[in-house]
């Protein structure tokens, strides 16, 4: 059994059972992957994949368990390499982060600029996706850290470090009636078509909770994964925008942001990583740049706590910033 063979079967699963795409992702040949997978199956005496002729159609029950273990072994192998690099090349390496578009666009630029100046020889990769995609990328070992703003239950088996609270604003054109309203209410919002995040993205569940609590069915006419897209369609007059307050900047002078923090529950942004992750020095620094209270001693304490409830208690005395 070779690590290369394990890498092949994991990548086939990552590429939705396409050997061709797995070969492209790993910069190797399709026949080479197929041969090595067959050799591994022969060695184990069972099939990892169900086939229809030459095409893979499913993962066998045994194969699912093997792929799961293979993922962990590959992550541990990366950890071994990371330990070696920490001593031989402390300021060289790769940092892979998964997050949402809003975080990548509005919160990370200043952090990335500072990090890149401090660590010019560390290659930084930002992957954007939905909460589920972010979780899957972290679990598969494709990324080292995840910056999450939604679906915290997905990360129960991982270390979650609270970074800051954030809330929403209502975005309208300057001539919209809501601009002159004495007080923004859910009832008032219910009178207009709404443009907001796609379900499963930043804060939609909290939006639904607010409307449901008021007994109002929101008229959502357009959803997007990107705050910039939401603003574009508000400009076109499609509806009233509801998005993260941080996404309204001085460049949006043609739009008015109305604070809606009194209408919606505040949401928490977290940094998550697997218990098996070996954190390089520059990873600790990145987390502190992103959220100053995440100093290395604090993060190291959290690493030794196996329960996220215990991690939450660790931060109870820290007043988190509100964005």
């Amino acid at each position: 059994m070779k690590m290369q063979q394990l890498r092949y079967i994991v990548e086939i699963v990552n590429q939705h059972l396409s050997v061709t795409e797995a070969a492209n992702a790993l910069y190797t040949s399709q026949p080479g992957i197929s041969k090595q997978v067959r050799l591994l199956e022969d060695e184990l005496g069972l099939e990892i994949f169900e086939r229809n002729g030459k095409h893979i159609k499913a993962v066998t029950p045994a194969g699912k368990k093997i792929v799961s273990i293979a993922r962990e072994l590959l992550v541990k192998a990366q950890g071994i390499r990371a330990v070696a690099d920490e001593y031989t090349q402390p300021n060289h390496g790769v940092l892979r982060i998964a997050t949402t578009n809003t975080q990548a666009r509005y919160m990370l630029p200043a952090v990335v600029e500072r990090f890149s100046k401090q660590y010019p020889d560390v290659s930084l990769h930002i992957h954007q996706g939905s909460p589920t995609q972010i979780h899957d990328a972290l679990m598969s070992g494709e990324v080292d850290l995840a910056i999450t703003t939604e679906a915290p239950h997905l990360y129960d088996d991982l270390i979650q470090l609270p970074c800051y609270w954030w809330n929403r604003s209502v975005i309208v054109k300057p001539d919209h009636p809501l601009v002159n309203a004495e007080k923004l209410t859910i009832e008032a919002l219910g009178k207009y078509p709404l443009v907001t995040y796609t379900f499963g993205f930043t804060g939609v569940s909290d939006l639904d909770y607010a409307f449901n609590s008021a007994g109002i069915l929101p008229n959502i006419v357009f959803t997007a994964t990107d705050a910039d897209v939401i603003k574009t369609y508000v400009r076109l007059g499609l509806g009233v925008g509801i998005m993260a307050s941080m996404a309204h900047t001085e460049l949006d002078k043609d739009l008015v942001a109305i604070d809606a923090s009194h209408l919606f529950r505040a949401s928490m942004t977290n940094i998550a990583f697997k218990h098996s992750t070996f954190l390089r020095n520059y990873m600790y620094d990145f987390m502190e740049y992103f959220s100053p209270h995440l100093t290395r001693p604090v993060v190291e304490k959290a690493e030794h706590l196996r329960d996220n409830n215990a991690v939450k208690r660790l931060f109870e005395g820290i007043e988190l910033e509100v964005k």
Side-chain angles (χ1 to χ4, degrees):
M1 185 185 307
K2 303 175 182 177
M3 291 296 292
Q4 183 186 56
Q5 293 171 329
L6 301 182
R7 189 171 292 108
Y8 287 165
I9 63 172
V10 167
E11 193 59 38
I12 288 172
V13 174
N14 289 346
Q15 299 299 331
H16 308 289
L17 305 183
S18 171
V19 178
T20 300
E21 293 302 321
N24 291 337
L26 295 173
Y27 303 100
T28 188
S29 69
Q30 180 179 340
I33 288 184
S34 297
K35 178 182 178 180
Q36 288 300 319
V37 171
R38 285 292 193 184
L39 288 173
L40 177 59
E41 290 177 324
D42 290 343
E43 180 182 347
L44 297 175
L46 53 78
E47 289 188 338
I48 296 172
F49 300 108
E50 294 180 16
R51 295 172 175 82
N52 183 5
K54 293 183 178 180
H55 300 286
I56 293 175
K57 66 176 185 178
V59 186
T60 65
K64 291 179 181 178
K65 296 181 180 180
I66 291 170
V67 170
S68 177
I69 296 172
R71 288 190 190 279
E72 290 298 322
L73 290 174
L74 291 173
V75 170
K76 290 182 183 301
Q78 290 176 352
I80 292 172
R81 170 54 61 188
V83 171
D85 289 343
E86 186 65 26
Y87 287 92
T88 60
Q89 303 182 82
N91 295 326
H92 291 70
V94 177
L95 176 55
R96 304 162 304 165
I97 297 167
T99 189
T100 62
N101 175 275
T102 298
Q103 295 294 321
R105 170 69 177 82
Y106 297 102
M107 297 306 300
L108 283 178
V111 177
V112 169
E113 182 180 21
R114 180 181 178 186
F115 181 85
S116 297
K117 288 180 180 177
Q118 182 66 30
Y119 295 100
D121 295 318
V122 174
S123 180
L124 186 60
H125 302 275
I126 307 293
H127 303 256
Q128 298 174 51
S130 69
T132 301
Q133 290 170 331
I134 293 169
H135 169 266
D136 291 347
L138 188 60
M139 294 303 295
S140 68
E142 294 177 45
V143 299
D144 308 297
L145 305 175
I147 300 175
T148 71
T149 56
E150 182 75 359
H153 63 279
L154 290 175
Y155 303 88
D156 284 344
D157 294 331
L158 305 168
I159 297 174
Q160 294 187 72
L161 306 177
C163 298
Y164 57 81
W165 293 101
W166 63 271
N167 215 307
R168 299 143 195 81
S169 289
V170 167
I171 309 297
V172 294
K173 294 196 289 186
D175 59 351
H176 196 280
L178 287 177
V179 173
N180 298 316
E182 289 187 9
K183 184 178 181 182
L184 183 65
T185 64
I186 288 292
E187 289 75 14
L189 283 178
K191 297 177 182 178
Y192 299 99
L194 303 177
V195 181
T196 189
Y197 294 106
T198 301
F199 180 78
F201 267 75
T202 312
V204 171
S205 58
D206 292 322
L207 184 150
D208 290 339
Y209 176 83
F211 278 96
N212 291 338
S213 297
I216 295 174
L217 181 65
N219 179 22
I220 299 176
V221 297
F222 187 87
T223 62
T225 61
D226 184 336
D228 290 333
V229 173
I230 292 173
K231 288 185 285 188
T232 294
Y233 284 91
V234 170
R235 290 184 173 103
L236 291 175
L238 191 64
V240 172
I242 302 177
M243 66 183 195
S245 297
M246 68 185 76
H248 183 269
T249 71
E250 60 182 14
L251 299 178
D252 301 313
K253 295 179 180 178
D254 59 328
L255 295 175
V256 176
I258 306 171
D259 178 49
S261 59
H262 61 291
L263 301 181
F264 304 108
R265 297 181 302 186
S267 297
M268 175 68 71
T269 292
N270 296 285
I271 287 181
F273 55 89
K274 299 176 72 173
H275 288 278
S276 58
T277 301
F278 175 78
L279 297 178
R280 301 282 302 273
N281 284 333
Y282 57 74
M283 295 180 183
Y284 286 108
D285 281 349
F286 181 91
M287 286 188 275
E288 186 171 357
Y289 295 167
F290 185 76
S291 194
H293 65 271
L294 295 181
T295 61
R296 180 164 184 161
V298 169
V299 175
E300 287 179 336
K301 285 181 181 178
E303 285 183 88
H304 291 95
L305 299 173
R306 309 300 293 185
D307 184 338
N308 267 316
N309 288 324
V311 174
K312 290 178 182 178
R313 290 194 292 272
L314 176 65
F315 290 90
E316 282 180 352
I318 299 176
E319 185 174 350
L320 299 181
E321 188 178 358
V322 179
K323 302 290 186 180

